[in-house]
Amino acid sequence: MSTPGIAVIGGVDTHTDIHQAAVIDSVGRHLDTQSFETTSAGYEQLLAWLRAQADVIAVGMEGTGAYGAELARFLTVNGITVVEVDRPDRRARRAHGKSDPVDAYAAATAVLSGRASGTPKSRNGIVEAIRALRVVRKSAVKARTQTINQIRSLLVTAPSALREKLRGLPTALLIDTLARTQPTGDLTDPAFAAKTALRRLARRYQALHQEIKEADADLAPLVTRAAPSLVALPGVGIETVGQLLITTGDNPDRLRSEASFAHLCAAAPIPASSGRTNRHRINRGGDRHANSALYTIVLVRMQCDPRTRDYVARRTAKGMSTKDVMRCLRRFVAREVYRHLKNHRCLNPHADQVNHPIRASRAGLQVRPSMPIRRHAGRTARPDEVVVLVLHDALADPRPANSSRALLSKHQSILRVLNPAEEPAVLLFPGVLIERREGVQVQEGLVPDIFDGMDVDLV
């Protein structure tokens, strides 16, 4: 049973067979760590163990898109806010060592400090189905390319009679001709062995080609259903939309702005100025598959879209290089794509079944709409009372200006965000009352120093 009045943050280091979990308190003290199996029973045990520690504010997790995908889904469905945590940087790892408990504690600390604030992909809607199908299609396309390259390589060294017969044939006719051959002879004869190998490769190519066609037939309606207006844009196809949807995920609201989407797709410009030179360069980070999709859209538009052709001509006449023109075009396409993705927020048909938390802070604090709203205005909180924040409007920005904003930013505590109420916002610390009127003012007491260093970004 959890300890009343105490809140903890969890961290999980995910692996194939074992997940290592750890918990820390609101000031970063290590409380406990334990390992759990990656099974349904193990997930239940991990959840029960977390709730037995105290009230769980959030869980930082490494590998939410790999080993921790199912655990992230399980915790989210059960009302636990999951925060995506990147692996520690190498210098910190060299300084503190490497082990599963160390990594689990580091994940929890990253959430507490605000270094980790990303919302993981929900991976339980139509976009996840698209991703699974595209994995198979992509591997089939790669194998088909390897197959045709092997065929052409064998033809280079094949006997001249065979080369002369097949030279100059287009790919489709070459594959059909080789697949219909019926070579006879002794396998010790290099010519017969070459014909046999080419026949097998041709039939492999045909099988892969058919597999790709079936995958395309499955993907087209799914992608069109997920983002119909995006598919209708000039230069945009099923493959590029599918990749951009996968990059965004089933919960596109996890991207806070159009700029964050551009940075995720490596389309955000990077300053490269020095002295009298004022320029930007290509971003070499981000999701390279999404960047490749934007690049494909730009290439198609440069050939077929009149607006894009006019833009290229105009910027080239001003002395801009083709590389920089394409960088600018990728940024424009990212902006256009983001608007259409945000118009199709309901990519997950099961969204209503998930207790999806409103982003309450950079630490990803959990919204509990069922909690009763208590009126505390006009008195000082008792030392044993839990910190509470009540907002007029959950979508409004309640951050006050000037010194009061700095006060909240410096002394953010573990909060419970309740439903909007027709009353002033009240923030209670142990022994302290902060009430919002024109701004936020401390009425009595002092804000405890244990909250120093915690950041707040309420939305």
Side-chain angles (χ1 to χ4, degrees):
M1 185 175 181
S2 62
T3 305
I6 297 179
V8 299
I9 296 175
V12 181
D13 183 30
T14 59
H15 297 279
T16 305
D17 301 317
I18 296 294
H19 290 333
Q20 185 74 32
V23 290
I24 62 175
D25 61 12
S26 59
V27 293
R29 290 176 295 203
H30 294 186
L31 300 181
D32 194 11
T33 180
Q34 190 169 331
S35 60
F36 300 90
E37 294 183 353
T38 57
T39 61
S40 298
Y43 299 150
E44 294 282 356
Q45 294 169 7
L46 190 152
L47 178 62
W49 177 78
L50 283 173
R51 287 177 170 168
Q53 304 295 321
D55 293 334
V56 182
I57 301 304
V59 173
M61 186 182 303
E62 292 185 22
T64 58
Y67 297 125
E70 180 59 24
L71 178 59
R73 284 191 291 262
F74 175 81
L75 293 178
T76 301
V77 168
N78 284 275
I80 303 295
T81 300
V82 179
V83 180
E84 188 170 10
V85 178
D86 293 332
R87 67 178 184 179
D89 62 53
R90 295 179 179 178
R91 185 166 68 175
R93 178 164 288 182
R94 284 195 297 268
H96 301 290
K98 169 73 174 71
S99 70
D100 292 347
V102 168
D103 289 346
Y105 279 124
T109 304
V111 176
L112 177 63
S113 66
R115 182 177 63 84
S117 59
T119 302
K121 297 177 183 178
S122 59
R123 297 182 180 274
N124 58 353
I126 189 172
V127 175
E128 179 64 12
I130 292 171
R131 187 192 70 84
L133 293 174
R134 288 192 79 252
V135 168
V136 180
R137 185 191 184 279
K138 185 177 181 180
S139 63
V141 170
K142 184 177 181 179
R144 186 181 65 176
T145 302
Q146 291 175 337
T147 301
I148 188 61
N149 289 340
Q150 290 169 347
I151 290 174
R152 298 193 184 281
S153 177
L154 280 176
L155 285 176
V156 170
T157 59
S160 58
L162 183 60
R163 288 204 314 272
E164 293 297 331
K165 180 181 178 181
L166 301 174
R167 178 175 294 173
L169 292 181
T171 300
L173 183 56
L174 174 64
I175 295 299
D176 184 64
T177 301
L178 291 174
R180 288 187 291 104
T181 58
Q182 298 289 338
T184 58
D186 188 357
L187 283 175
T188 58
D189 180 11
F192 173 71
K195 292 178 183 178
T196 302
L198 288 169
R199 177 172 175 266
R200 291 174 180 173
L201 286 172
R203 293 192 173 184
R204 180 190 299 177
Y205 183 97
Q206 290 178 332
L208 291 169
H209 186 72
Q210 181 62 29
E211 182 179 332
I212 294 168
K213 289 176 61 177
E214 293 173 358
D216 289 338
D218 293 335
L219 282 167
L222 289 178
V223 173
T224 304
R225 177 182 173 184
S229 63
L230 190 55
V231 175
L233 292 177
V236 180
I238 296 298
E239 272 301 293
T240 52
V241 173
Q243 178 56 58
L244 293 172
L245 286 172
I246 292 170
T247 300
T248 306
D250 284 298
N251 46 336
D253 53 330
R254 72 191 186 95
L255 301 174
R256 302 182 185 181
S257 65
E258 171 260 329
S260 67
F261 174 72
H263 193 76
L264 176 63
C265 296
I270 302 298
S273 303
S274 178
R276 298 180 180 178
T277 303
N278 185 14
R279 62 179 294 270
H280 292 78
R281 67 167 176 82
I282 295 174
N283 187 344
R284 297 182 178 88
D287 188 332
R288 304 313 302 172
H289 297 295
N291 188 267
S292 176
L294 296 179
Y295 181 79
T296 301
I297 295 172
V298 169
L299 282 181
V300 174
R301 289 187 175 186
M302 289 175 67
Q303 296 293 325
C304 307
D305 184 35
R307 294 182 309 160
T308 305
R309 293 170 65 91
D310 293 343
Y311 177 84
V312 172
R314 185 170 64 254
R315 298 305 294 268
T316 303
K318 293 181 179 180
M320 183 175 285
S321 66
T322 303
K323 181 187 296 184
D324 286 338
V325 171
M326 295 186 72
R327 174 185 57 77
C328 295
L329 286 172
R330 279 202 295 272
R331 185 65 179 85
F332 171 80
V333 172
R335 183 181 302 115
E336 187 178 25
V337 166
Y338 177 79
R339 289 199 297 265
H340 287 273
L341 287 174
K342 296 297 285 187
N343 290 336
H344 300 284
R345 297 170 65 92
C346 298
L347 299 177
N348 181 7
H350 310 293
D352 294 338
Q353 304 174 13
V354 180
N355 183 20
H356 183 71
I358 300 174
R359 185 182 301 275
S361 77
R362 290 178 58 188
L365 306 182
Q366 178 68 40
V367 174
R368 299 186 179 182
S370 61
M371 292 180 61
I373 297 177
R374 303 170 59 187
R375 288 175 170 81
H376 297 286
R379 70 172 179 82
T380 301
R382 296 192 305 272
D384 60 342
E385 286 185 317
V386 178
V387 177
V388 178
L389 175 65
V390 183
L391 306 179
H392 277 298
D393 185 353
L395 299 179
D397 185 357
R399 292 178 293 187
N402 303 329
S403 60
S404 297
R405 178 172 181 175
L407 175 69
L408 277 180
S409 179
K410 184 177 181 181
H411 300 291
Q412 164 69 353
S413 178
I414 306 300
L415 304 180
R416 300 290 187 272
V417 180
L418 310 181
N419 278 331
E422 297 299 329
E423 57 182 280
V426 177
L427 179 63
L428 294 177
F429 295 95
V432 178
L433 174 63
I434 299 179
E435 182 175 356
R436 187 179 73 174
R437 291 176 180 172
E438 297 297 328
V440 175
Q441 299 177 347
V442 178
Q443 302 294 328
E444 299 182 27
L446 297 174
V447 178
D449 291 336
I450 63 172
F451 305 132
D452 187 22
M454 300 187 67
D455 201 1
V456 60
D457 188 15
L458 297 172
V459 293

